Amino acid sequence: MARTPSNMMPLGTIAPDFTLPNTVTGDTVTLSDLKSDIATVIMFICNHCPYV
């Protein structure tokens, strides 16, 4: 597996608006669909990689 440096944003960074497909349902998901008043954690992971 190739070594890839992380591009992590600092904790507390305000998330930019986004629109992405839900890979399970095919529906479109936006930040406003997921956003909470307390905290929102968004993880971009690969759903077929055994190392995730």
Side-chain angles (χ1 to χ4, degrees):
M1 186 168 156
R3 184 176 179 171
T4 305
S6 175
N7 294 325
M8 183 176 152
M9 299 173 81
L11 295 176
T13 299
I14 295 174
D17 289 330
F18 62 82
T19 301
L20 295 169
N22 179 323
T23 59
V24 175
T25 65
D27 296 336
T28 300
V29 180
T30 65
L31 176 60
S32 61
D33 294 333
L34 306 171
K35 192 172 181 180
S36 166
D37 292 336
I38 299 170
T40 304
V41 177
I42 300 169
M43 297 171 50
F44 296 92
I45 60 173
C46 174
N47 61 0
H48 65 274
C49 177
Y51 298 104
V52 173

